[in-house]
């Protein structure tokens, strides 16, 4: 029988924090709680209202994403030189959102406006501090939560997704790898396991995987990996997953 108190086993939550699970139940995966502090007044929004340039950018980003979410919208969208299913594009955005916070400030130069960069400065500082505090305590640490959880504030969400969009807008795999490698290296220094987890096969598209998991040593050249395709479980070679195709050059 379910308990009258949600998540009574979750010792990470203060009694005044919201215990609502924010994702549908998935077997074998730890579900995240809302965690909002119910004892404090809800803020009306960010401390500083977005400037016109920032607001214009965020509205444009929202329109582009809503177009992809529209049932009548495009079935495929460009990503690191490929055309991929729209659903996979959102999976890539979600993974890159975690990578942005984990690697901060390596991703700072990709923020669309100074206001968004400053907002992410404050958010990333708090997240990294919370993760460090969790790593220092005994027992189960759950230190990935502050770094991997998506922000609830729409300005911060837009700032992070905008960086992900810019990275995925790379003309080809080589450009994408050049942009992402500093983020990946910084993320690995902070939390190597989480960095690999955010880029695992089950989370990201084939094109992003061949960009983010390739290394300068110990692996085949990028062109060889692209030609051969992903390596299926059990070894051997195969073609890219259904729905992916190289984007024609302009």
């Amino acid at each position: 029988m379910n308990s009258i108190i949600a998540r009574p086993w979750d010792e990470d939550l203060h009694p005044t924090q919201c215990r609502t699970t924010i994702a549908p139940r998935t077997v074998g995966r730890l579900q995240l709680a809302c965690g909002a502090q119910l004892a404090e007044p809800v803020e009306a929004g960010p401390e500083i209202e977005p400037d016109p340039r920032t607001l214009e950018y965020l509205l444009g980003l929202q329109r582009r994403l809503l177009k992809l979410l529209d049932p009548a919208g495009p079935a495929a969208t460009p990503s690191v030189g490929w055309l991929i299913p729209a659903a996979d594009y959102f999976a890539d955005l979600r993974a890159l959102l975690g990578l942005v916070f984990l690697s901060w400030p390596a991703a700072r130069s990709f923020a669309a406006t100074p206001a968004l960069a400053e907002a992410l400065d404050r958010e990333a500082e708090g997240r990294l501090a919370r993760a460090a505090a969790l790593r220092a305590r005994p027992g189960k640490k759950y230190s990935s939560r502050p770094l991997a959880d998506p922000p609830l504030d729409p300005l911060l969400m837009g700032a992070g997704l905008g960086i992900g969009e810019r990275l995925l807008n790379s003309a080809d795999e080589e450009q994408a790898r050049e942009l992402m490698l500093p983020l990946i290296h910084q993320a690995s220094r902070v939390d190597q396991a989480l960095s690999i987890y955010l880029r695992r096969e089950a989370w990201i598209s084939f094109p992003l995987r061949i960009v983010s998991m390739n290394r300068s040593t110990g692996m085949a050249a990028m062109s060889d990996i692209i030609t051969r395709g992903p390596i299926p479980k059990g070894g051997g070679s195969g073609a890219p997953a259904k729905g992916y195709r190289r984007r024609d050059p302009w």
Side-chain angles (χ1 to χ4, degrees), residues 150-223:
L152 300 178
D153 184 287
L155 184 140
L156 293 169
M157 177 65 85
L161 291 178
I163 292 177
E165 181 191 53
R166 181 172 179 183
L167 294 171
L168 294 178
N169 279 346
S170 300
D172 54 35
E173 303 90 354
E174 292 294 349
Q175 184 185 68
R177 181 170 59 170
E178 182 179 353
L179 296 177
M180 291 186 196
L181 275 182
L183 279 64
I184 293 170
H185 290 162
Q186 174 62 17
S188 296
R189 285 191 287 268
V190 174
D191 190 326
Q192 186 176 34
L194 179 56
S195 173
I196 295 173
Y197 180 81
L198 290 171
R199 295 176 286 126
R200 71 195 190 280
E201 181 180 354
W203 264 41
I204 61 177
S205 67
F206 165 68
L208 184 57
R209 182 159 60 92
I210 61 176
V211 169
S212 64
M213 299 305 290
N214 196 22
R215 297 291 187 274
S216 58
T217 59
M219 288 187 67
M222 178 73 77
S223 58

Side-chain angles (χ1 to χ4, degrees), residues 76-85 88-90 92-93 96 164-165 167-173 176 180 205-208 211 244-247:
T77 189
S79 179
V80 299
W82 292 65
L83 287 174
I84 69 173
D88 289 9
Y89 183 84
F90 281 98
D92 288 351
L93 278 180
L96 289 177
E165 181 191 53
L167 294 171
L168 294 178
N169 279 346
S170 300
D172 54 35
E173 303 90 354
M180 291 186 196
S205 67
F206 165 68
L208 184 57
V211 169
Y244 298 138
R245 66 183 186 275
R246 296 297 299 276
R247 187 181 184 185

Side-chain angles (χ1 to χ4, degrees), residues 45-129:
E47 295 179 3
I48 302 175
E49 289 296 324
D51 58 89
R53 178 186 167 198
T54 296
L55 184 59
E56 181 181 5
Y57 170 78
L58 291 175
L59 290 174
L61 173 65
Q62 183 182 52
R63 285 192 291 268
R64 292 190 294 275
L65 296 181
L66 287 175
K67 183 179 180 180
L68 291 177
L69 290 170
D70 190 329
T77 189
S79 179
V80 299
W82 292 65
L83 287 174
I84 69 173
D88 289 9
Y89 183 84
F90 281 98
D92 288 351
L93 278 180
R94 173 66 183 89
L96 289 177
L97 183 64
L99 188 64
V100 165
F101 288 117
L102 182 58
S103 67
W104 200 262
R108 194 180 196 279
S109 63
F110 299 112
T113 70
L116 294 177
E118 291 169 7
L120 288 173
D121 281 338
R122 295 188 293 271
E123 178 71 7
E125 181 181 6
R127 285 173 176 250
L128 290 168

